[in-house]
Amino acid sequence: MSQKPPAEPSAGLPEFVEAAVAKTARELGFTAGQFTVSFEPGSSCDGLIGEIYQATVTEGAREVVLFCKIPPLDPARREQFNSMGLFQREVKLYSTVLPAMLEFQREKGVSEEDGFYSIAKCYSTYLDMETENSLVLMENLRTRNLRSWNKLEPIDYDHARLLMIALGRFHAISLALKDQQPELFEQFKLPDVMLAAVKENEQMVGMFEAALDNAASLLDLHETEARSKMDKLKQNYMSVVETCLDGNQAEPYTVLNHGDCWVNNILYGYKGDSPNELVLIDWQLARYVSPALDVLYFLFCCSDQSFRQKHYGEMLRIYHTSLTIMLERLGCDAAKLFPFAALEEQLVRFGKFILIMGSFDIPILCTDPADMPDLGGDISEAFATSPAAQRRYAGRMLGLIHDAIEYGYL
């Protein structure tokens, strides 16, 4: 972690941001006093808990573009979304946890081609809880021609397959470390940082309740059993979330989750028209919970019913095969640490989680970036308001409810 920079705001961005970028520029070989730095706001259409800036460092003909993320400058928004707690988590991930995972793989001789190295290069992190200043400064992945999937469209087979392989490898590292280096693994047992803040925020509670009501309202009147299940879930949803986010409930299979594994947090690289690499970004919700949560979140929020009817079972197998192979590369007994039957049991045990999170997140996924609401106001009913977004939302959400019932999750 870099030396503490000044916290007083400057005419533009806070001075600690400018200081961190200048320090990184010098570390990258730029000459002190000879380079210039310019900032441009990045896309914040889905950034409820942070603000993104592009920092361009220039000296002569040389130019480097950095990606800079800081907490919301608006104090109300910072408090509403527990931004400091989330930045504290992401700083920990980039400064200690993720480097430990990379080092463990290298010690085991796992190559970048065969392992999980799907993270951005982080140049600097900074956290001061007292002044509520924080920063994550990393490479700008778009300069490597990586790009995100269009969130308005359900994911396709090739992109989903690549993510399932990456998730399997990522989760396998937790299981292997827990088995082989339990003392080192203690730092991976990170509790959820969002639920407590949600429970204390009346607006956020209201948003979840409204989301569940909206989801249930899509069901036909004759779907009495489904409506009854959704009504029961709404009455008990907070305790369901508490159970799902309690890592002890998933032992001995609990792993470090990405926690926010949806398409806006995945950047893909391509060979021709086919995706051949990916990078996971936004680690602010990383937490020690069931591996089923990452799998459920991606396959239910980012695909649709048609995709799941064709590929759901295969995606689970791809994920588990990837996890198994990775465990074997790391010197573990995969059949003992996480058999496929255990994955199936975890999916059923924690499946209700996806009804709750899907109800909340699918309206966001179905809202065109051009129609995103003002994040400083009341956003409880602000997503999926256009006719096109409503059609996307109804199709995705109804499919989620019907599939969750079919698979025994609700």
Side-chain angles (χ1 to χ4, degrees):
M1 189 173 296
S2 59
Q3 184 177 358
K4 180 177 176 180
E8 293 79 20
S10 67
L13 287 172
E15 287 184 10
F16 76 89
V17 176
E18 299 173 6
V21 172
K23 181 175 183 295
T24 295
R26 293 191 296 271
E27 292 171 350
L28 290 173
F30 287 90
T31 309
Q34 300 298 314
F35 63 84
T36 61
V37 179
S38 62
F39 292 92
E40 295 180 14
S43 172
S44 60
C45 61
D46 294 310
L48 300 179
I49 52 181
E51 298 191 11
I52 297 166
Y53 293 88
Q54 178 177 291
T56 302
V57 185
T58 305
E59 182 180 351
R62 186 187 177 197
E63 179 179 283
V64 172
V65 180
L66 304 174
F67 179 92
C68 176
K69 185 160 70 170
I70 63 174
L73 297 177
D74 176 14
R77 193 169 133 213
R78 202 160 54 229
E79 180 179 359
Q80 178 182 8
F81 294 102
N82 187 31
S83 294
M84 290 311 300
L86 295 169
F87 268 82
Q88 185 179 38
R89 175 59 46 86
E90 189 161 34
V91 165
K92 182 175 179 63
L93 263 290
Y94 276 114
S95 61
T96 60
V97 174
L98 291 174
M101 296 182 82
L102 300 181
E103 180 62 24
F104 179 62
Q105 292 176 90
R106 294 187 183 107
E107 289 175 354
K108 294 291 184 177
V110 178
S111 68
E112 295 206 7
E113 180 180 352
D114 295 331
F116 178 79
Y117 295 89
S118 304
I119 62 174
K121 179 176 178 57
C122 182
Y123 293 108
S124 178
T125 60
Y126 173 64
L127 178 73
D128 188 329
M129 296 297 287
E130 183 176 347
T131 61
E132 296 192 346
N133 287 328
S134 187
L135 168 143
V136 177
L137 187 65
M138 63 189 72
E139 64 174 319
N140 188 329
L141 293 165
R142 298 194 185 280
T143 62
R144 287 171 43 188
N145 294 320
L146 301 180
R147 60 184 189 270
S148 58
W149 177 265
N150 178 5
K151 68 169 186 170
L152 301 180
E153 298 293 331
I155 200 77
D156 70 9
Y157 179 90
D158 289 339
H159 290 79
R161 175 182 174 275
L162 207 58
L163 191 277
M164 288 294 105
I165 292 171
L167 269 188
R169 294 174 178 178
F170 171 57
H171 290 165
I173 298 172
S174 287
L175 293 168
L177 275 168
K178 184 159 56 171
D179 181 54
Q180 298 179 18
Q181 300 184 33
E183 292 184 2
L184 174 64
F185 187 70
E186 285 300 312
Q187 68 179 307
F188 288 71
K189 295 182 178 180
L190 300 172
D192 176 79
V193 295
M194 195 65 179
L195 181 59
V198 169
K199 291 171 66 176
E200 294 173 1
N201 187 310
E202 291 184 8
Q203 183 185 14
M204 291 293 289
V205 171
M207 289 168 66
F208 272 96
E209 292 178 352
L212 286 165
D213 282 339
N214 291 339
S217 72
L218 297 171
L219 293 163
D220 288 338
L221 291 177
H222 73 270
E223 296 184 90
T224 54
E225 183 179 357
R227 294 173 72 90
S228 175
K229 288 177 180 290
M230 287 297 292
D231 184 61
K232 183 178 179 181
L233 179 64
K234 184 193 171 184
Q235 295 174 23
N236 196 37
Y237 81 94
M238 194 61 76
S239 64
V240 170
V241 174
E242 288 175 341
T243 297
C244 291
L245 297 182
D246 178 1
N248 293 323
Q249 300 293 324
E251 294 291 10
Y253 308 116
T254 318
V255 299
L256 181 69
N257 270 224
H258 177 274
D260 199 13
C261 192
W262 68 312
V263 289
N264 272 30
N265 291 335
I266 307 163
L267 295 179
Y268 288 96
Y270 295 84
K271 184 175 183 180
D273 294 330
S274 301
N276 67 338
E277 67 170 318
L278 65 80
V279 173
L280 282 169
I281 60 173
D282 283 0
W283 293 86
Q284 294 182 324
L285 289 176
R287 54 202 172 200
Y288 183 65
V289 291
S290 168
L293 298 193
D294 270 347
V295 175
L296 287 165
Y297 191 55
F298 180 79
L299 289 178
F300 276 82
C301 284
C302 302
S303 72
D304 61 3
Q305 188 173 31
S306 175
F307 178 93
R308 289 188 295 272
Q309 287 175 343
K310 297 174 183 176
H311 305 301
Y312 186 65
E314 183 181 2
M315 287 296 134
L316 296 181
R317 285 291 181 183
I318 290 170
Y319 162 79
H320 189 263
T321 298
S322 173
L323 182 146
T324 298
I325 293 171
M326 185 66 171
L327 282 174
E328 292 171 351
R329 287 187 178 125
L330 295 171
C332 297
D333 182 347
K336 173 186 174 183
L337 291 186
F338 196 44
F340 189 76
L343 170 61
E344 294 179 307
E345 187 272 334
Q346 296 266 307
L347 290 167
V348 172
R349 184 189 300 187
F350 300 107
K352 288 185 177 68
F353 179 80
I354 196 53
L355 272 301
I356 300 165
M357 293 309 301
S359 297
F360 187 86
D361 288 337
I362 286 179
I364 302 174
L365 277 160
C366 292
T367 301
D368 192 300
D371 299 328
M372 288 293 290
D374 177 6
L375 300 181
D378 182 355
I379 60 174
S380 58
E381 297 286 344
F383 293 104
T385 56
S386 72
Q390 277 288 309
R391 288 192 295 272
R392 287 189 290 264
Y393 165 68
R396 298 272 282 269
M397 193 67 234
L398 268 176
L400 190 159
I401 296 172
H402 290 153
D403 282 353
I405 292 173
E406 180 181 345
Y407 300 144
Y409 302 162
L410 178 61

